[in-house]
Every structure is written in structure tokens, then in C-alpha cells.
DNA sequence: ACCAGCGTTGTCAATATATCACCGACAGGG
DNA sequence: CCCTGTCGGTGATATATTGACAACGCTGGT
């Protein structure tokens, strides 16, 4: 529950594309951990190369070690390189921003994106963490990720990201059940203002959802026609990725979506 | 010295391209840590997405979190994408395998490679950890990485990787001083049998070496001519990368190598 | 049935940790 | 110039987390 290792690793969550370098006090404030503790944890992670400290500014940032680890993982399990071309196709088909995410601890990790070519588009922060309860991708995974995952998320606290975010356990359960009926998920402005998401689950070889593919559209641009188009494309992309990863769909899911996928 | 965080993160070192999935007992054996402790550490890292456990085989592997972190870092500081094309050129010029590495905690982390096109070539394990004392890249960084780094490494234990590895502190110091005189480093079979390395340091904007570029050649193929060619190409590549990263060479180094670089 | 190995859980003493206050340094304002 | 507010970093101590050992249930092979 409260091991120092998770506390240390939680610090890494605060580094983002927008703020890639953070000071000691800043990190302590955001994480709510004592400065001294943060200092020790950062020191430990620096020893392992997970973070590094700028010699002059004394700011901390993610270290070269994360690049190394990613290379090891990507060489052994080339997910990104499999997913990327499919996302490119998906984005081209729908004209909107597409992204894929995988289960990563207590949330989803965005691991690949393809931004829309349009001037007005949904722009994702690279490496963003996607909560289960407030994103279309999260709902898709929740619906097909097994009872253990669902129970864990339902019993956690659901933070409101916008005024549309579902924060009631019962409501979330209802939404998940709806997704289980439909075979894909849809969410409008529940994670970010003016962003509409449609997502479908990706399965591992045990038939459990391990991630999701999603298309994010500016809410005002989401017509019924676009919705129809996006839904089919997302389902097909998810289908292709599942196969590419050697995953296996549960029968009930296959039966659900084959009708919706359209001809491709 | 022995914080639990570093112990936990040390476990990650055991995952490699060759063995991307490891069991609990296996990890405990290799790290010399108790099974129960390893179990707890892995659990903690799994919560943060750094590792994930296969549902069926119960094996652990690096998780999607490392991909996310690498994306965040690479988006903010696009090192790999800057380095890769230069390595490609370097490999083409020399006909051998080129790679770049950065300081990552107590060792160097290989962050990009370009393998030789030849049938017989030096093949690097992706994401390998390179010791300072037994690799050409390590020597290059040691020579120009500042006194603090040098002192730390000299006072650590130097493990013999081959029968040619320098394990005596005094010998290592002599080799480092030689590199400081030369401006580049050379090592023959000190890290791996039949592998010859020539490396040059890459500098950050404070004028301290933060990494190295290297060309690895099969020892038997390393003639005087090839040596001359490789040396110039490596120095030029390191020069270009330093500039690309916004780094700054110390004057004494610039004076040293401008003569050696050849015309380019 | 047996054995050997696995992942996992429980216990309890020992140790590394969280918390607090403090330090010197730096920057801006009065 | 001092005063105040930061900053990053450093001890001291009570406490919670950890490490070690043993045992558990389980699986697969013999």
C-alpha cells in the first residue's frame, strides 16, 4: 500500500512534456511528500539512472535509464512499432487524432499517437496518463479487462476532471455495462473540455483487455455521420492490433462487433 | 547506500533483450535478494507500471510505464532522434557498428545503435549497460566527465569482463590519462572477446562529458588503416552530436582533436 | 504418490525511513 | 543594507517499513 518504492515512482508522474524539469521543492509540493524524503528518493533514482540532475540548475528530469529500459522492452516486445502504422491509418480514415494506450499500473499509459492533419484538432500530451473512469479508452479497458480490475477501479476514488466526469460508482458501473453491451466506448468531455472520444479494447492472448485504441474528436465536430465512421474504423484498428500482438478476442466480444465493424 | 528504491530498480537491470521475461525465483537468485523482498518490490513497481506480470505464466517483464516515460523524456529532449541519423552516417563511413551511450546512474546506457551491414559484425544487445572501466565509451566519458565521476569509478570495484579487462585502479588511471592526452579512447577486447572499440566523448552545455559515441569493430578486422579512418569519423560524429545537443566542448579538448578529425 | 520447483503469504526483529527543524545561499523589495 | 521569501540540502530521532526465514498451496514431471 505505502511502500517507499511506489512513492518514489509516483514522483515520476509529475514530469510531463510541458514540465520536463522540476526542482526539489516543486516536486515535494506537488506530491505532498516531505522535501527530505523527495531528496532521498530522487537521489536513489538518480543512482539507477531513472532521473538525472542538471549540474548547474539543480533541476531534476527523467534520465537516460528510461530510454534504455524502453529499448529493452521495445526490442523484446515491439508494440509501438506494430501499433504506429495502424494508428496512422486510423487517423487518416477518420481525419482525427488517434492514440493507443496500455494498462500501466493503476492507469492507462498513452504509448503511441497520430495527430490529425487538420488545423483544429485534439492534441495529446505525449506520455500522458489516462484515468480509467474519465476516458473512452479507460472505459473500453474496464469493460473487458476482467472483474479484478473493474472492482479495483470501482472502489477507488474517482476524481472529476471536468464537469461531465462520472464520479459516482453506480454511474460508472452502468457506463461500463453499456460498453460491454456495445463493444466499444464513447465519452464526451469527461476527461477534457471539448474532446469527444471513441475507443475499443485491445486483447492479450488470454482474452483480457490489455489496452485500447481511441480516436479523439473536437466535440463540436462530432456528427452522427462522423460517429458512425469513427466507430467502424476504431473497431477495425483494435481488431488489427489485437491480431498483431498475438492477442485473442473473447467469443462474446467477437460476436458483438463483427456486425459493427463494417466491411474492410 | 542501500535504499530499497535502488535495490528495487536494480532488479530492472536483469531484464535484457535475450531474457525479457523473468520469474520471481530467477530474479531473486540473480540479484541475491530474498524472494519475499523481490516479490514486494516487483509488486510496487507493477503498481507504477514499470513492470507487469503475465497473468498466465506469472513471469515479470518491463511494463508499459517505461514506454510512457521514454516518450515524455524523448519529447522534451529528443536525444535519440538527433543521434540516430549521425550514427547511421558514422556506421556507413566506417562500415562497422556504431552506437551512442549516455551517463545513466553508475554506468553508461546504450541509447541508440546502427549495426554494420556486413555479415560479420559486432552486434550489440539493445539497451545494454556499459561499464565505465571496460569499454571504450566508458573511458571516453571517464576522461572528460569531471573529477567527481572519475574518483567514484576509481574507488569502485572493477569487474573483469574478459582476460584483457583492466581491473587495477592504477592501470585504469593511466589509461584515462592517456585518453585525456589523445582526445579519444580505444579498447581491444576489454569488455567482450573479439570486439575492438574506438570512442569519443559527447559534452553537455556545461562542458562535461555526458556520453560517448563509439564504433565497434571485430578485432581481427582492425588494421592501422581502418583505425585511422574510424578515429576521424568517430571524432566528427561526437563533434556533431555535441553541437546537436547544444553542448559545449572544453577548449583543451577542442584544441586536441581538431587536428585529428580530418577534413569534413 | 512423490518430489521439486514455483509464486505467494505470514511473522518478527532490525533497519531504513518519515518528519521536523535547521542551515547557507540566493533574489527581490523596502 | 537588512529583511523576507524562496531555493536545495542536511542532520536527529521516533516509527513504520523492510529483510530474512519458514511455511503454504500449487503445478508439472518422474
Amino acid at each position: 500500500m505505502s511502500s517507499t518504492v511506489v512513492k518514489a515512482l509516483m514522483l515520476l508522474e509529475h514530469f510531463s512534456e510541458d514540465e520536463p524539469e522540476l526542482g526539489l521543492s516543486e516536486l515535494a509540493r506537488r506530491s505532498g511528500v516531505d522535501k527530505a524524503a523527495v531528496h532521498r528518493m530522487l537521489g536513489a533514482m538518480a543512482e539507477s539512472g531513472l532521473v538525472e540532475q542538471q549540474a548547474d540548475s539543480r533541476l531534476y528530469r527523467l534520465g537516460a535509464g528510461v530510454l534504455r529500459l524502453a529499448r529493452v522492452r521495445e526490442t523484446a516486445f515491439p508494440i509501438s512499432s506494430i501499433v504506429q502504422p495502424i494508428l496512422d491509418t486510423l487517423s487518416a480514415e477518420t481525419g482525427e487524432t488517434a492514440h493507443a494506450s496500455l494498462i500501466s499500473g493503476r492507469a492507462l499509459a498513452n504509448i503511441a499517437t497520430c495527430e490529425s492533419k487538420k488545423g483544429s484538432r485534439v492534441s495529446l500530451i505525449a506520455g500522458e496518463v489516462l484515468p480509467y473512469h474519465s476516458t473512452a479508452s479507460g472505459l473500453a479497458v474496464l469493460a473487458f479487462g476482467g472483474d479484478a480490475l473493474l472492482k479495483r477501479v470501482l472502489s477507488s476514488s474517482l476524481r472529476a476532471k471536468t464537469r461531465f466526469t462520472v464520479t459516482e460508482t453506480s454511474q460508472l458501473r452502468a457506463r461500463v455495462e453499456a460498453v460491454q453491451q456495445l463493444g466499444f466506448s464513447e465519452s464526451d468531455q469527461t476527461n477534457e473540455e471539448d474532446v469527444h472520444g471513441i475507443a475499443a479494447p485491445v486483447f492479450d492472448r488470454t482474452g483480457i483487455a490489455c489496452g485500447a485504441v481511441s480516436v479523439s474528436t473536437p466535440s463540436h465536430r462530432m456528427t452522427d455521420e462522423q460517429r458512425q465512421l469513427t466507430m467502424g474504423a476504431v473497431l477495425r484498428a483494435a481488431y488489427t492490433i489485437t491480431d498483431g500482438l498475438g492477442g485473442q478476442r473473447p467469443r462474446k466480444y467477437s460476436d458483438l462487433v463483427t456486425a459493427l465493424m463494417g466491411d474492410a
Side-chain angles (χ1 to χ4, degrees), chain A:
Chain A
M1 208 52 153
S2 54
S3 78
T4 59
V5 177
V6 306
K7 271 181 276 191
L9 297 179
M10 291 242 264
L11 295 178
L12 300 179
E13 308 266 328
H14 296 93
F15 294 94
S16 68
E17 182 180 3
D18 298 331
E19 298 177 298
E21 294 182 313
L22 294 170
L24 176 57
S25 298
E26 189 64 26
L27 267 168
R29 226 175 292 119
R30 299 199 190 193
S31 60
V33 183
D34 191 86
K35 258 199 308 183
V38 173
H39 184 247
R40 246 179 326 104
M41 291 170 184
L42 286 173
M45 291 194 285
E47 263 192 75
S48 310
L50 231 57
V51 301
E52 58 194 22
Q53 189 176 24
Q54 209 80 10
D56 45 358
S57 66
R58 320 248 84 183
L59 295 177
Y60 294 86
R61 64 178 183 188
L62 295 176
V66 304
L67 299 180
R68 193 187 67 80
L69 292 173
R71 272 173 67 85
V72 172
R73 152 123 191 174
E74 188 64 16
T75 306
F77 312 103
I79 310 264
S80 301
S81 52
I82 289 179
V83 167
Q84 192 63 56
I86 300 172
L87 285 185
D88 296 344
T89 306
L90 177 57
S91 175
E93 282 177 357
T94 59
E96 300 294 346
T97 297
H99 68 94
S101 42
L102 290 180
I103 292 181
S104 171
R106 279 186 296 246
L108 286 181
N110 179 291
I111 59 147
T113 58
C114 179
E115 294 219 345
S116 161
K117 301 291 180 294
K118 299 182 181 173
S120 159
R121 67 177 174 224
V122 176
S123 205
L124 291 174
I125 299 174
E128 202 180 355
V129 175
L130 306 176
Y132 284 115
H133 70 288
S134 64
T135 62
S137 297
L139 287 178
V141 174
L142 274 189
F144 299 98
D147 293 340
L149 176 67
L150 181 58
K151 192 167 293 180
R152 183 147 37 91
V153 172
L154 282 175
S155 64
S156 70
S157 74
L158 310 174
R159 199 161 67 86
K161 300 282 301 271
T162 73
R163 62 185 191 279
F164 299 107
T165 306
V166 170
T167 56
E168 292 288 330
T169 301
S170 57
Q171 287 177 36
L172 181 57
R173 189 190 301 273
R175 295 213 56 184
V176 167
E177 283 166 4
V179 173
Q180 288 170 336
Q181 301 288 330
L182 282 170
F184 70 97
S185 66
E186 190 172 0
S187 72
D188 193 15
Q189 312 190 54
T190 52
N191 189 60
E192 205 173 341
E193 302 279 347
D194 298 325
V195 174
H196 178 107
I198 290 185
V202 170
F203 296 94
D204 64 15
R205 66 169 188 277
T206 68
I208 303 279
C210 62
V213 189
S214 164
V215 166
S216 303
T217 310
S219 290
H220 60 82
R221 209 191 282 161
M222 180 46 73
T223 62
D224 271 357
E225 192 181 10
Q226 177 70 17
R227 206 173 144 281
Q228 210 61 25
L229 168 70
T230 302
M231 185 191 79
V234 168
L235 285 169
R236 285 195 300 276
Y239 208 94
T240 312
I241 292 177
T242 294
D243 287 344
L245 302 184
Q248 187 144 11
R249 281 168 290 278
R251 163 139 316 129
K252 58 176 182 181
Y253 175 80
S254 290
D255 295 345
L256 259 180
V257 301
T258 37
L260 299 171
M261 276 174 54
D263 24 45

